[in-house]
Structures are given as structure tokens and as C-alpha cells.
Amino acid sequence: MKIVVMGAGAIGSLFGGLLALRGEDVLLVGRRSHVDAINSRGLKISGMTDAIVHVRASTHPEEGDLILFTVKSYDTEKAASSLIINDDTIVLSLQNGLGNEEKIAEVVGREHVIGGVTSYGALFLEPGHVSHTGIGETVIGELDGSITERVSRLSDLLNKAGIMTSVTDSIKRKIWEKLVVNVGINAITAITGVKNGKLLEIPQLRELMRYASLEAVEVGRKQGIDLGYDLIDRVEEVARRTAENRSSMLQDISRGKKTEIDAINGMIVRLGEEVGVDTPVNRILTLLVRGIEKSEAFRR
Ligand SMILES: NC(=O)c1ccc[n+]([C@@H]2O[C@H](COP(=O)([O-])OP(=O)(O)OC[C@H]3O[C@@H](n4cnc5c(N)ncnc54)[C@H](O)[C@@H]3O)[C@@H](O)[C@H]2O)c1
Ligand SMILES: CC(C)(CO)[C@@H](O)C(=O)[O-]
């Protein structure tokens, strides 16, 4: 199976690197500096995995049997339109936020797309070097909920590379559950500059986190997704488990990078309007993050 990683940044390089270490045929597609470093010195993975992986890298995609789709949500359309696929190509998105699978499907056709969520953690340290920062479950599934041979095969492939993966018949709910966690944690940590654990220690931030998550659950339920209200406690649980993390959105803001706010809190606002659920907390969080993105003064 020829595997193409579309968007070899932190998580894409880690997954692609782990698959290549297992002997799979992998092409990492990323930006020039990262590609050049990998082609001259190999991909260095440090942290929970320690390896130099000799894997091919390019700035342009090639045809693949499996495409691991790992660009940030705001790059989805552009990256999808550069893919080269054949009749049997599977495109597996491991992105956060909502709407990525639909955007990819619009470009390549729905029959090619499989949804995924991962609690693996990775950091991009410098060109040619990523850090493996966390291990967690990866869940994949067909968008229509069917359990197909191809999704089972894909799960086997990832498991063989040491990426603990299971197949679900409700990937949309899984994507929503991860979304609610990101809605509760990411924007508030990005705005206030605190690590995830502080959201539990500071009563005002804890209240905000619960309100933001509750709005997301209400919107999801109105969209027909079977989300329980206990998810709000699970958001707190994730903040506890990742207490020392600086969330991905806080890291983006600190580096002066664009955030995934539109696919996370902004998506709750947009969908809330569609289904008639008020989302004042997420509206303000979205406006603040968009404002901060535009403000030099807030770069830490
Ligand atoms: N990093 C993590 O631990 C983690 C965990 C779970 C989910 N995710 C999700 O996975 C996605 C990627 O996250 P990340 O942290 O790896 O981001 P990242 O910014 O490190 O990686 C994305 C990479 O894609 C590259 N890219 C974008 N468009 C491209 C194009 N057209 N051609 C070639 N390269 C292109 C970017 O240059 C970047 O290097 C996000 O949706 C994120 O929320 C990340
Ligand atoms: C789970 C999470 C919020 C932990 O920091 C992570 O998904 C992130 O930072 O985006």
C-alpha cells in the first residue's frame, strides 16, 4: 500500500514516520524546509519515540492508496484539491474541528473519505524534527457508519505500526465529542495564556469552559448527534489529564500562527444559527481569538 501524508507537520510526520518505521511505503508531503531537511538527514522523532526515519518527502503529492490528511482545518480545501487519487484511494482525515471530511468529500468524492480522530500528541520542533508528546486512542470510521473491509484493513495497518486504533460505527459522534473538548479548552487557554489545568483551578475560567461546552452539546444534539450532557464533565477530565499542556490554539497564538477557531468555536456559532440555538459564549470566544490573531501585541 502506498501511503501519502498530506500535510506533514507535527501529527502527519509522526504518523507517517511510525508507518515508515514499520516498513510501509510512505511519502511525506509538506513545506519546502521540512522536506529538504528530511531528504538530507531523515526525519527525527524525539520524545515518546526516539528514531531517525529514512522516509521520502516532497512538496507535491503523488498518487496514493491511502492518504493521511493532516493539514490544519483552514488549509483543507486547498490541500484536498491538490490530491492525486485513483478509484480505490482512501483519504483518512485526522484533523480536529468540524467540516473537514465534508470539504474533502466535495473535492475527491464522498466514497473516498474516512473520518478519524486521534488523541496522539505531536509537536513540530524544527524542520526535519517532530516530538512525539502523547499517546491515546485513534478511532476511525466510514462516514455512513458501515463497518467495511477497507476500514478494518486500515485499522490493522495503523495498529501494526503501534498506533492504537479502533473502528467505530459512529465516527460523526466521535468527531463531535473531540470537538466539544476543543470548544471547551482551546479558545479560553489561547485567550488567557494558561495551561489546560488552570481551567479547573480558576473558577471563572471553569465556568466559561462549562458554558462553551454546553452550547456545543446543545447545537450537536439539535443536529441529531447523540451527545450526552456528561460530555461537559469529560471536558474537565481532559483538562485534568492534560493539565500541563499548552493547547494547540495557545501554541498557534504564541507563534503568531493562524488558529483553527473557525472549525471549532466558530463552527458552533455558525451551526447554532442554522438550528436556532443561541451561542453567546462561543460567539465572544470566536471574536476574541480572531481579534488576537490580528493583534501583534498579544503574541507571546
Ligand atoms: N499535533 C497534534 O498533536 C494533533 C493531535 C490531534 C489532531 N491534530 C489535528 O491535526 C491537524 C494538523 O495538526 P498539526 O499539529 O500537525 O499541524 P501542523 O501545522 O504542524 O501541520 C500541518 C502541516 O501541513 C502543511 N501543509 C498545509 N497545506 C499544505 C499543502 N498544500 N502542501 C503541503 N503541506 C501543507 C503545513 O505547512 C504544516 O506543516 C489539525 O487539524 C490538528 O488540530 C493535531
Ligand atoms: C485535547 C487538547 C485540548 C489538549 O491540549 C488538544 O486537542 C489540543 O490542544 O488541541
Side-chain angles (χ1 to χ4, degrees):
M1 184 182 260
K2 177 154 184 197
I3 303 168
V4 173
V5 176
M6 186 63 217
I11 201 77
S13 301
L14 175 63
F15 271 53
L18 292 174
L19 285 159
L21 271 179
R22 279 290 307 185
E24 300 295 341
D25 176 4
V26 176
L27 175 72
L28 299 179
V29 182
R31 298 300 187 202
R32 170 61 63 200
S33 54
H34 192 45
V35 165
D36 286 349
I38 293 169
N39 284 332
S40 64
R41 300 188 294 276
L43 169 72
K44 183 172 163 59
I45 306 178
S46 55
M48 296 173 111
T49 299
D50 187 14
I52 304 278
V53 192
H54 294 284
V55 55
R56 272 192 328 121
S58 168
T59 53
H60 289 96
E62 293 173 7
E63 186 175 304
D65 303 309
L66 167 63
I67 292 168
L68 288 184
F69 199 84
T70 53
V71 300
K72 294 272 197 180
S73 52
Y74 47 79
D75 281 326
T76 297
E77 279 134 330
K78 197 160 176 223
S81 57
S82 73
L83 294 178
I84 306 169
I85 61 166
N86 61 44
D87 288 351
D88 298 321
T89 300
I90 302 171
V91 184
L92 169 65
S93 163
L94 292 169
Q95 302 160 280
N96 284 335
L98 201 67
N100 296 302
E101 288 77 9
E102 283 68 25
K103 282 185 193 163
I104 301 167
E106 269 173 33
V107 180
V108 302
R110 202 171 175 76
E111 66 281 12
H112 290 285
V113 183
I114 288 182
V117 286
T118 185
S119 302
Y120 259 66
L123 267 182
F124 188 89
L125 294 180
E126 60 187 336
H129 186 187
V130 296
S131 172
H132 180 181
T133 54
I135 290 182
E137 62 166 359
T138 296
V139 185
I140 62 176
E142 297 282 358
L143 300 182
D144 67 3
S146 56
I147 305 292
T148 55
E149 194 261 329
R150 66 173 187 174
V151 83
S152 306
R153 226 178 339 114
L154 184 47
S155 163
D156 288 348
L157 176 87
L158 293 169
N159 277 306
K160 276 192 194 124
I163 300 164
M164 198 174 47
T165 304
S166 58
V167 174
T168 179
D169 61 4
S170 44
I171 192 65
K172 284 195 177 151
R173 181 157 55 80
K174 287 282 176 193
I175 291 170
W176 264 92
E177 286 173 356
K178 182 94 193 274
L179 174 73
V180 174
V181 169
N182 291 131
V183 162
I185 295 177
N186 292 27
I188 302 171
T189 50
I191 293 162
T192 57
V194 298
K195 289 184 179 173
N196 296 356
K198 286 282 176 201
L199 298 183
L200 301 168
E201 287 173 29
I202 301 171
Q204 292 78 2
L205 299 186
R206 187 172 189 168
E207 198 174 326
L208 256 184
M209 171 170 66
R210 291 188 72 90
Y211 275 126
S213 314
L214 177 62
E215 287 179 3
V217 170
E218 298 282 15
V219 171
R221 287 170 69 91
K222 270 280 174 87
Q223 289 262 322
I225 312 290
D226 179 24
L227 301 174
Y229 287 99
D230 59 336
L231 240 184
I232 293 150
D233 297 322
R234 273 169 50 201
V235 177
E236 293 203 341
E237 210 178 291
V238 174
R240 197 166 298 116
R241 228 179 338 102
T242 61
E244 284 307 308
N245 276 26
R246 297 172 81 241
S247 77
S248 53
M249 199 175 285
L250 172 56
Q251 291 180 43
D252 287 340
I253 286 289
S254 308
R255 292 179 185 152
K257 278 182 66 178
K258 193 170 154 67
T259 72
E260 296 188 292
I261 189 73
D262 286 342
I264 301 178
N265 307 75
M267 184 60 87
I268 296 303
V269 176
R270 242 182 345 272
L271 293 179
E273 282 168 359
E274 270 176 43
V275 295
V277 173
D278 280 341
T279 57
V281 174
N282 280 290
R283 188 179 294 278
I284 290 173
L285 292 175
T286 303
L287 290 172
L288 279 170
V289 171
R290 286 205 194 118
I292 291 169
E293 280 178 338
K294 293 188 162 55
S295 159
E296 290 286 332
F298 276 82
R299 289 183 190 164
R300 290 178 272 266

